[in-house]
């Protein structure tokens, strides 16, 4: 069965392992994820400028193109999901905005495509019992904590994926594929998000000043990482490429600033799903090239490959 799929920009560059593992695991489950034709960047963040309707043009054009394939579009990047879902909500609830945008992009669109995160697809379309039936490798030795971050869940009224304070959708999936899922009170804490992005001028200034933004990122990340480590986790599992970068890339700095800190690998839930399904883990970028803290060693030591 074919389903429209929006990968987004990061999955074509830095998060290749996420993209490949989504496509391959969907195929194991009997679905072909077909890229939305002529897709462009969704905008990366959802604009809060209510008087600037044109910021909706990109995501709504994507959704209008997705209609060529079906009535739903699957995405897995938390940022893309947040933008597409909220843009869809905006045109569904504001006829004036919808008319302006569709006139501008010269396409008909009524907000009638459902934006579905891959976690949602696995829960509501495939069903976790059917996911479990495809498991070929035991992951019970892997102690993991699910990390949701901000964009996957908030604002709750517009997103509606799960309880924004106590989500369980990823916990339940990881349990379904056999992981030892640990309780994690910091699963919805912010990692620092786009504070990690700075201009070239700010980057040069950072050498002299210590870059307050980078410090904020490392402290936000440290709280999350240290909590996972104290609970005995082998891996932190997530869906957002920005969260993955923040939590992964800050660990060298954190180790210098916090005596006794031990690094912990950060992986995408789809990478574990692919491993559980018996697929070749070497295909999904579990290596030094794509991770600051290499997850392959712990995976190979805990999982019979």
């Amino acid at each position: 069965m074919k389903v429209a799929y929006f990968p987004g920009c990061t999955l074509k560059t830095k998060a290749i392992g996420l993209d490949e593992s989504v496509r391959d695991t969907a195929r194991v489950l009997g679905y072909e994820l077909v890229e939305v034709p002529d897709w462009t960047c969704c905008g990366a963040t959802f604009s809060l400028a209510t008087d600037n309707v044109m910021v909706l043009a990109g995501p709504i054009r994507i959704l209008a193109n997705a209609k060529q394939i079906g009535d739903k579009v699957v995405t897995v990047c938390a940022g893309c999901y947040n933008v597409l879902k909220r843009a869809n909500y905006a045109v569904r609830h504001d006829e004036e905005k919808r008319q302006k945008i569709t006139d501008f992009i010269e396409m008909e669109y009524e907000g009638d495509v459902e934006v579905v995160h891959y976690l949602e697809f696995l829960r509501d379309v495939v069903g976790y019992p059917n996911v479990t039936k495809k498991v070929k490798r035991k992951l019970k030795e892997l102690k993991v904590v699910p990390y949701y971050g901000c964009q996957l869940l908030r604002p709750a009224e517009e997103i509606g994926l799960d309880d924004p304070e106590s989500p369980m959708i990823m916990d339940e999936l990881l349990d379904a594929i056999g992981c030892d899922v640990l309780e994690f009170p910091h699963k919805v804490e912010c990692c620092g998000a786009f504070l990690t992005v700075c201009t070239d001028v700010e980057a040069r200034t950072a050498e002299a000043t210590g870059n307050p933004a980078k410090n904020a990122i490392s402290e936000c990340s440290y709280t999350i990482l240290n909590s996972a480590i104290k609970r005995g986790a082998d891996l932190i599992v997530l869906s957002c490429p920005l969260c993955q970068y923040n939590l992964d890339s800050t660990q060298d700095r954190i180790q210098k600033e916090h005596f006794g800190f031990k690094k912990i690998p950060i992986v995408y839930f789809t990478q574990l799903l692919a491993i559980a399904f018996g697929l070749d883990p070497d295909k999904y970028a579990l290596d030094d090239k794509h991770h600051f803290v290499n997850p392959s060693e712990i995976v190979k030591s805990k999982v019979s490959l």
Side-chain angles (χ1 to χ4, degrees):
M1 183 181 297
K2 294 183 178 181
V3 181
Y5 171 56
F6 178 72
C9 307
T10 307
L11 272 71
K12 292 294 187 178
T13 53
K14 299 294 185 182
I16 294 172
L18 178 56
D19 182 47
E20 292 289 340
S21 54
V22 169
R23 294 174 189 269
D24 289 355
T25 54
R27 194 172 295 113
V28 169
L29 294 165
Y31 296 89
E32 180 185 355
L33 297 183
V34 181
E35 283 192 23
V36 173
D38 196 26
W39 66 265
T40 57
C41 177
C42 68
T45 58
F46 185 77
S47 174
L48 299 181
T50 57
D51 58 342
N52 184 4
V53 181
M54 289 301 104
V55 297
L56 298 174
I60 296 305
R61 181 179 174 277
I62 291 166
L63 295 177
N65 280 329
K67 281 191 67 175
Q68 299 176 39
I69 301 171
D71 61 358
K72 62 169 57 70
V73 59
V74 171
T75 190
V76 70
C77 167
C80 296
Y81 174 68
N82 187 278
V83 171
L84 293 178
K85 189 92 171 187
R86 296 175 73 182
N88 212 30
Y89 183 93
V91 299
R92 281 178 174 178
H93 292 83
D94 192 319
E95 185 177 349
E96 182 180 355
K97 285 183 179 179
R98 181 171 68 248
Q99 192 62 55
K100 285 182 178 178
I101 287 300
T102 53
D103 285 349
F104 179 74
I105 65 175
E106 299 181 335
M107 300 175 76
E108 291 296 324
Y109 184 68
E110 298 294 327
D112 46 348
V113 170
E114 184 183 3
V115 180
V116 180
H117 192 274
Y118 192 50
L119 281 168
E120 212 171 0
F121 186 79
L122 294 173
R123 180 189 66 187
D124 301 338
V125 178
V126 178
Y128 290 151
N130 291 322
V131 172
T132 302
K133 289 177 184 177
K134 297 294 184 179
V135 171
K136 294 183 178 179
R137 288 194 182 107
K138 295 181 179 180
L139 305 184
K140 64 181 181 180
E141 297 300 320
L142 273 179
K143 297 181 184 297
V144 303
V145 292
Y147 176 70
Y148 294 79
C150 306
Q151 298 191 83
L152 200 58
L153 302 164
R154 303 172 182 136
E157 181 181 352
E158 298 174 38
I159 299 299
L161 177 69
D162 204 346
D163 184 332
E165 300 302 326
S166 185
M168 289 298 295
I169 186 171
M170 198 187 313
D171 298 62
E172 292 167 354
L173 173 66
L174 293 171
D175 182 66
I177 63 173
C179 294
D180 183 358
V181 186
L182 307 177
E183 186 178 349
F184 190 43
H186 288 84
K187 63 170 70 174
V188 296
E189 296 295 320
C190 182
C191 67
F194 284 96
L195 283 174
T196 197
V197 181
C198 62
T199 65
D200 289 340
V201 173
E202 288 170 331
R204 288 194 296 270
T205 305
E207 290 187 35
T209 65
N211 193 350
K214 292 293 184 182
N215 284 329
I217 290 291
S218 61
E219 287 308 304
C220 286
S221 296
Y222 172 69
T223 300
I224 296 161
L225 295 165
N226 197 45
S227 176
I229 293 164
K230 283 186 173 181
R231 278 158 180 77
D234 297 314
L235 302 168
I236 294 178
V237 187
L238 42 61
S239 176
C240 175
L242 181 59
C243 295
Q244 196 278 340
Y245 177 79
N246 283 346
L247 294 178
D248 197 25
S249 67
T250 55
Q251 293 193 51
D252 279 340
R253 177 173 186 154
I254 289 171
Q255 196 167 55
K256 294 175 183 177
E257 295 176 346
H258 295 272
F259 179 77
F261 174 80
K262 295 182 180 180
K263 297 179 181 181
I264 180 170
I266 317 295
V267 300
Y268 296 112
F269 75 92
T270 55
Q271 290 172 312
L272 291 187
L273 187 62
I275 291 171
F277 282 177
L279 302 176
D280 182 2
D282 291 338
K283 184 179 178 182
Y284 304 111
L286 292 161
D287 52 40
D288 286 330
K289 181 180 178 181
H290 298 90
H291 294 263
F292 289 88
V293 182
N294 192 334
S296 61
E297 184 177 339
I298 189 68
V299 170
K300 289 177 180 179
S301 69
K302 296 283 183 111
V303 180
S304 178
L305 301 177

